[in-house]
Amino acid sequence: MSNTNTPDLAPMPAPTPTPKGGALRWRDIAILAALFAFVIAGLAGLAAATGWEKTKHQLMQLHLGQIAILLCLSLVNYLFRGVRWHFFPIALACPPP
């Protein structure tokens, strides 16, 4: 292993221009639609394989207040995550982005 400070990196090639117009947009929409369809099919298969009726019955017993409490708890969870990721760079002495 050598102890030189010069990296052996090749220069980066010039970026290829993206095609203008609707071709790229339609491709992205088609890929997103296919992924969405796969997720829906997977969830439907999971529901069919695991007995969706019991889960549906329990979900239907939730009241509006209980749903609101669950959403608030989820919001608190995400707020704590944000605070944690805000303090990680400070604890690691990294500059903020």
Side-chain angles (χ1 to χ4, degrees):
M1 187 176 233
S2 66
N3 195 10
T4 62
N5 290 333
T6 58
D8 296 330
L9 298 176
M12 291 185 59
T16 57
T18 58
K20 293 192 177 193
L24 186 62
R25 180 172 169 82
W26 283 110
R27 185 194 70 186
D28 291 344
I29 291 173
I31 289 173
L32 186 62
L35 289 174
F36 186 71
F38 282 134
V39 167
I40 295 299
L43 288 174
L46 183 66
T50 58
W52 174 248
E53 289 79 21
K54 290 180 184 178
T55 304
K56 181 181 172 188
H57 176 70
Q58 292 297 325
L59 286 175
M60 296 307 280
Q61 289 183 348
L62 288 175
H63 300 291
L64 188 60
Q66 293 170 325
I67 293 172
I69 290 171
L70 290 172
L71 290 174
C72 287
L73 287 173
S74 179
L75 177 64
V76 168
N77 176 32
Y78 284 112
L79 288 174
F80 281 150
R81 284 184 183 195
V83 168
R84 180 181 65 186
W85 283 105
H86 175 75
F87 286 115
F88 271 165
I90 296 170
L92 296 174
C94 294

